Amino acid sequence: MPKLIESPASASHYGRSRETKMRVAKRAEYGRAAVHAILDEGYVAHIAFVTGGKPVCIPIFYVRDGESLLIHGSRKTRMFTELASGLPLCATVTHLDGLVLARSWFHHSMNYRSVMVHGAAEEVRDEAARMEAMWLFMERIAEGRADGSRAPNAQEMKATMVLRIPLETAVAKVRTGGPNDDAEDMGLPYWAGVVPVETRHLAPEVSADMQVDAEVPEGVLARCR
């Protein structure tokens, strides 16, 4: 199945109505390229919403499809039934890149890249679009994985809900670099710098219940290089 072609979008898709009130405005980036790059590197989005008068925040696997995020899960779960009704939500994706150690407690920080999306989810109902979304999920795990595993059957698809979250109001927030110590603290006898943090794919571990001889797919190995 061919990959979906990313639809063009104007800068107006990344609204500022909420984000202009951010405390550290200089770290906010509103360009679609910055938003897309951060989302494309991630796997887990935290979806926050209010249900029954209580806030909840649930981590979930996602994939970006053009100007939307796609998520999927059991249509019997409360999360999906409520989000499908148009409940307001906030989706966030964060990459931790480093611990920033300063000379003073006040200026310790972290280097990170994050995206925050406000909006509401829409259920994907067209069967062809639903199957294409499932294909995208598999290819996000590893290139070629959709063809290298069994496709869902009719019963599995019936039990699965696919939701689309438009990127109409999204903002990227990024911090890079070293500590921002005060001038009067520069001569203090304390170490200052950055401890880099990275996420890596390690060597694949074969399932203990494998019943056939099969080599690790090239797309999976590519993740580990």
Side-chain angles (χ1 to χ4, degrees):
M1 184 178 294
K3 293 183 178 179
L4 296 180
I5 298 175
E6 180 180 322
S7 59
S10 65
S12 62
H13 279 197
Y14 297 90
R16 291 188 167 198
S17 59
R18 301 172 187 265
E19 291 74 24
T20 50
K21 298 179 181 180
M22 295 173 67
R23 186 175 63 86
V24 189
K26 66 182 180 181
R27 294 180 185 167
E29 297 184 13
Y30 297 95
R32 64 192 293 266
V35 169
H36 288 184
I38 293 170
L39 293 176
D40 289 350
E41 192 174 332
Y43 291 95
V44 178
H46 285 81
I47 310 294
F49 56 99
V50 176
T51 176
K54 298 180 180 180
V56 297
C57 184
I58 299 176
I60 193 167
F61 176 57
Y62 74 92
V63 66
R64 181 179 70 86
D65 173 25
E67 296 303 319
S68 301
L69 296 184
L70 295 174
I71 61 175
H72 73 292
S74 171
R75 63 174 58 253
K76 292 182 179 181
T77 63
R78 186 174 182 179
M79 172 185 180
F80 274 80
T81 56
E82 296 210 5
L83 290 182
S85 71
L87 200 66
L89 64 82
C90 177
T92 60
V93 173
T94 302
H95 305 288
L96 176 62
D97 296 322
L99 305 177
V100 181
L101 282 64
R103 294 162 181 83
S104 69
W105 290 13
F106 184 80
H107 286 296
H108 278 64
S109 187
M110 297 182 185
N111 285 339
Y112 61 89
R113 291 159 293 140
S114 66
V115 166
M116 181 168 56
V117 182
H118 284 95
E122 308 161 352
E123 183 177 357
V124 179
R125 298 181 181 273
D126 178 79
E127 286 304 317
R130 279 162 39 83
M131 184 61 76
E132 192 157 11
M134 299 302 292
W135 184 89
L136 286 172
F137 288 127
M138 293 299 99
E139 290 299 292
R140 179 66 187 97
I141 293 173
E143 184 176 356
R145 193 59 188 162
D147 292 333
S149 54
R150 179 180 67 78
N153 57 38
Q155 187 62 32
E156 291 168 336
M157 288 299 293
K158 182 179 180 180
T160 301
M161 182 184 291
V162 177
L163 296 179
R164 182 182 297 276
I165 304 172
L167 297 176
E168 293 180 354
T169 303
V171 61
K173 189 178 179 185
V174 178
R175 189 201 189 281
T176 61
N180 296 317
D181 279 304
D182 297 327
E184 58 268 26
D185 291 336
M186 298 303 287
L188 294 176
Y190 306 121
W191 186 89
V194 176
V195 180
V197 176
E198 65 177 15
T199 299
R200 296 185 297 128
H201 295 83
L202 302 179
E205 299 177 358
V206 64
S207 176
D209 59 2
M210 283 285 293
Q211 298 181 14
V212 297
D213 291 330
E215 295 184 355
V216 180
E218 180 59 33
V220 175
L221 291 174
R223 287 285 190 202
C224 310
R225 294 171 183 156

